[in-house]
């Protein structure tokens, strides 16, 4: 899939498909210490800015409000793209956890399933008091 483990072209194609599918505007930053970095501002369809990246030539990143994730490109590109679509649809969320942890969850069969944990020393609460989600109903 990725030539010599540099997945920059494939990541750019994935980000382009995502932006076109959801009609989102973005900026590409080139003077940054990672291979690919796209920023999507608040706009119709996005109630929070998001950042997509590729670092270390093969790690896909999704970032939103004090959350940053790493997904290995070779194993996760299709899954990552599905997670991005779920985020836009309001079917993914970030759960803040005590001590600075964050969990990325996706709605699966009517239940929230944790798909990524960052700095989580404590379990993810079943009924969190606060979540960070994309409010698709918000229109500019």
């Amino acid at each position: 899939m990725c030539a010599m483990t540099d997945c920059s072209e494939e990541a750019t194609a994935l980000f382009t498909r995502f932006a076109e599918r959801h009609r989102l505007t973005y900026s590409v930053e080139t003077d940054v210490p990672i291979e690919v970095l796209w920023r999507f501002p608040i706009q119709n369809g996005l109630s929070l800015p998001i950042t997509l990246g590729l670092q270390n030539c093969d790690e896909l990143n999704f970032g939103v409000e004090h959350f940053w994730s790493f997904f290995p490109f070779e194993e996760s590109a299709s899954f990552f793209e599905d997670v991005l679509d779920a985020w836009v649809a309001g079917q993914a969320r970030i759960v803040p956890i005590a001590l600075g942890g964050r969990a990325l969850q996706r709605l699966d069969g009517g239940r929230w399933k944790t798909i990524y944990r960052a700095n989580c020393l404590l379990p993810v609460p079943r009924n969190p008091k606060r979540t960070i989600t994309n409010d698709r109903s918000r229109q500019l």
Side-chain angles (χ1 to χ4, degrees):
M1 183 184 285
C2 303
M4 299 184 65
T5 69
D6 183 355
C7 300
S8 297
E9 288 182 27
E10 292 89 347
T12 298
L14 187 156
F15 299 168
T16 299
R17 286 191 306 273
F18 168 70
E20 289 176 352
R21 191 167 45 254
H22 297 286
R23 297 185 175 108
L24 299 173
T25 60
Y26 57 89
S27 62
V28 177
E29 295 189 21
T30 56
D31 192 22
V32 292
I34 66 174
E35 290 76 17
V36 181
L37 185 70
W38 287 29
R39 296 194 188 275
F40 294 79
I42 294 172
Q43 58 191 289
N44 286 337
L46 287 179
S47 61
L48 295 166
I50 64 171
T51 303
L52 302 181
L54 180 79
Q55 69 183 42
N56 298 324
C57 295
D58 66 351
E59 295 174 0
L60 288 166
N61 307 133
F62 169 68
V64 63
E65 196 170 304
H66 309 295
F67 174 82
W68 190 251
S69 63
F70 304 91
F71 292 88
F73 193 99
E74 292 279 349
E75 300 148 27
S76 306
S78 179
F79 176 75
F80 183 83
E81 197 163 357
D82 290 344
V83 169
L84 296 178
D85 291 340
W87 179 264
V88 172
Q91 297 176 348
R93 68 184 186 180
I94 307 297
V95 178
I97 301 169
L99 306 174
R102 299 273 191 272
L104 174 60
Q105 295 184 322
R106 182 174 178 190
L107 200 56
D108 183 11
R111 297 181 65 152
W112 290 102
K113 179 181 176 187
T114 300
I115 56 175
Y116 188 90
R117 295 166 53 101
N119 303 317
C120 292
L121 300 175
L122 300 173
V124 179
R126 287 184 188 235
N127 297 307
K129 294 179 182 174
R130 180 174 176 259
T131 61
I132 301 163
T133 59
N134 182 50
D135 181 359
R136 191 159 170 83
S137 66
R138 181 176 178 201
Q139 298 294 312
L140 300 177

